[in-house]
Amino acid sequence: MIQLDDRLLALRGQVREWGADFRALGLALDRDPELIREHFDLPAVRYLSTMGIPPEYGNVPIPIAGNRFYGTLALERAIIMEELSCADVGMLVASPGPLLAGVLIDLLADEQQKDWFYGRMLESPLWTFFALTEPDRGSDAGALSTTVVPATADRPALLSGAKRYVGNAARAQLGVVFARTSPGPLGINAVLVENPSTGFHAEALETIGLRGARISAITMEDVEIAPERFLGRHLSPSRRGMWAFVQTFNLLRPGVAAIALGIARAAHEYVITHRTSLRRDERDRLDLLARRIDGARRLVHLAAAAVDARTGDGYLASAAKVRAAQLAHDATQEACTFFGAGARLEHPVLDKLVRDARGMEFIEGTSNMQKLNLFQGLFTGKLDRDDPFRTAPLAVV
């Protein structure tokens, strides 16, 4: 069990205070996701706009209890994500920042590329995107068909293809696109793309939940890619494509699990706030939900600590994502039962929580993918009876 020290407890307390702004704006942003543009001055939005940028590139985040948290550690991100998603997940995913793309930059970019990317992020709040999934291919990244035609003496390399379900792409200024330069798994590369660029078009999709994320579809036709925009050019081919996005997901998965955990906690707290008297059976159900939330938090923190220690192969993180996504769904549905028929019509916050929770299964891969990753760990012996996951309170899930 991970015990938070005074430093991390101070971080949690401060971010929880910042969350009050998110909670106040959540329903309005759900109606108009572009409302976030009017609130770049909020402390949480300012923090998220540079979260993940290492200090050596000039990042100076807001000090908290005499400490600076750069968001480069998974446990820090998990604490931040839980608190802000509990306040309002729409505001969290609507906020600009480098998060997913920034982790890939840290893994793949050379120093010149890092200076350029982080420098752009520090100049002003920018949205970024991470484009991997393609239409009709789902999470089968190995089958992607977006291509980069190599440069010739007369023109630069040209990027063409389509991506789908890409967060914030419609309003992002920078992003990374995975594309194929040759057949086979070693033929996948990541390239940096600026928006606007000739031939690049992103359009927001209508979604039921997580509307703040402006989940988008991208089409690209002969987008020019300069040589310095190819990530991992200093690395071997085996560390540029599929390895890179798998590592990115493993590093960020505890944070995604923490987002789902925050949604579950928000549903639980909503019931506590709005039901002043409970029957015995209702108290029992609410207590059970609280125990499930506590158990999921322990697993999320264990997974985050494993990521920070660079131990394991992402199996704990996959377990945390599966459990938390299911918990978000169950908790929001359970919360509705405390308010009778028509709960979602009469309680718009609950309605939003239900809709947002449904999307958590699909963020950075479906829960079926995470279960496969988890089962591989169990069957290969990389998770065993001595692993912390096996001693976590699975019975209440």
Side-chain angles (χ1 to χ4, degrees), residues 330-353:
D330 293 349
T332 53
Q333 296 289 337
E334 181 79 3
C336 291
T337 67
F338 285 85
F339 297 94
R344 292 177 61 179
L345 290 175
E346 297 172 8
H347 297 267
V349 171
L350 269 186
D351 174 67
K352 181 179 181 299
L353 287 170

Side-chain angles (χ1 to χ4, degrees), residues 294-304 316 319-320 323 388-389 392 394:
D294 288 342
R297 182 180 297 109
R298 287 196 290 271
L299 180 56
V300 169
H301 288 181
L302 283 169
L316 270 176
R323 178 185 292 192
F389 169 69
L394 294 177

Side-chain angles (χ1 to χ4, degrees), residues 61-395:
I62 302 168
I64 298 172
N67 299 295
R68 296 195 187 275
F69 297 89
Y70 298 94
T72 53
L73 296 176
L75 186 54
E76 290 179 7
R77 291 195 298 266
I79 292 168
I80 293 163
M81 296 302 188
E82 179 189 344
E83 293 303 327
L84 292 181
S85 63
C86 182
D88 185 71
V89 68
M91 287 289 293
L92 170 61
V93 297
S95 297
L99 191 57
L100 196 59
V103 171
L104 185 72
I105 292 294
D106 188 59
L107 285 171
L108 282 190
D110 58 31
E111 283 304 312
Q112 180 185 4
Q113 292 167 332
K114 288 179 181 179
D115 284 338
W116 179 81
F117 181 87
Y118 293 141
R120 289 285 305 275
M121 298 300 305
L122 290 169
E123 286 174 3
S124 61
L126 300 178
W127 285 282
T128 60
F129 66 88
F130 183 98
L132 175 63
T133 300
E134 296 188 352
D136 304 322
R137 288 177 175 80
S139 300
D140 186 7
L144 64 81
S145 60
T146 297
T147 57
V148 175
V149 178
T152 67
D154 301 323
R155 57 155 180 78
L158 299 176
L159 172 68
S160 297
K163 299 291 183 179
R164 198 166 180 85
Y165 309 125
V166 185
N168 286 315
R171 58 187 171 197
Q173 295 89 353
L174 298 174
V176 292
V177 177
F178 284 89
R180 187 171 293 285
T181 56
S182 61
L186 297 184
I188 298 174
N189 282 263
V191 296
L192 280 164
V193 177
E194 294 185 76
N195 183 25
S197 291
T198 302
F200 181 94
H201 177 72
E203 182 177 3
L205 302 170
E206 289 295 325
T207 59
I208 294 173
L210 298 176
R211 290 174 176 166
R214 301 297 277 164
I215 296 170
S216 306
I218 299 174
T219 56
M220 296 159 289
E221 184 175 356
D222 293 340
V223 179
E224 295 186 356
I225 305 295
E228 63 271 19
R229 297 294 179 255
F230 281 81
L231 294 172
R233 54 186 177 170
H234 60 303
L235 301 174
S236 67
S238 64
R239 296 176 68 86
R240 293 178 192 163
M242 295 186 70
W243 177 89
F245 63 71
V246 168
Q247 291 302 310
T248 299
F249 289 152
N250 283 344
L251 290 171
L252 286 176
R253 203 162 276 145
V256 175
I259 293 174
L261 174 63
I263 294 173
R265 199 180 108 207
H268 179 260
E269 291 180 359
Y270 189 88
V271 176
I272 292 174
T273 301
H274 293 86
R275 280 292 308 273
T276 55
S277 61
L278 296 169
R279 301 188 308 269
R280 173 62 183 271
D281 65 299
E282 290 177 323
R283 287 199 302 271
D284 290 344
R285 286 194 288 128
L286 203 57
D287 287 346
L288 176 59
L289 182 56
R291 292 198 299 274
R292 291 185 63 184
I293 291 169
D294 288 342
R297 182 180 297 109
R298 287 196 290 271
L299 180 56
V300 169
H301 288 181
L302 283 169
V307 166
D308 290 335
R310 296 294 192 267
T311 58
D313 297 302
Y315 302 116
L316 270 176
S318 290
K321 165 68 190 306
V322 171
R323 178 185 292 192
Q326 184 63 54
L327 177 59
H329 174 269
D330 293 349
T332 53
Q333 296 289 337
E334 181 79 3
C336 291
T337 67
F338 285 85
F339 297 94
R344 292 177 61 179
L345 290 175
E346 297 172 8
H347 297 267
V349 171
L350 269 186
D351 174 67
K352 181 179 181 299
L353 287 170
V354 170
R355 291 186 284 107
D356 289 340
R358 194 68 185 92
M360 291 310 302
E361 179 181 354
F362 305 100
I363 290 185
E364 62 83 28
T366 65
S367 288
N368 284 338
M369 282 183 62
Q370 315 312 328
K371 289 174 183 175
L372 176 60
N373 193 25
L374 171 60
F375 291 152
Q376 286 174 337
L378 291 170
F379 287 123
T380 59
K382 293 182 178 180
L383 289 180
D384 56 35
R385 295 187 182 277
D386 295 323
D387 191 280
F389 169 69
R390 297 300 296 264
T391 59
L394 294 177

Side-chain angles (χ1 to χ4, degrees), residues 34-54:
E34 294 306 308
L35 183 68
I36 189 67
R37 297 180 185 274
E38 301 175 17
H39 298 285
F40 284 177
D41 60 328
L42 294 180
V45 175
R46 285 191 286 124
Y47 179 83
L48 291 169
S49 71
T50 63
M51 187 175 77
I53 300 178

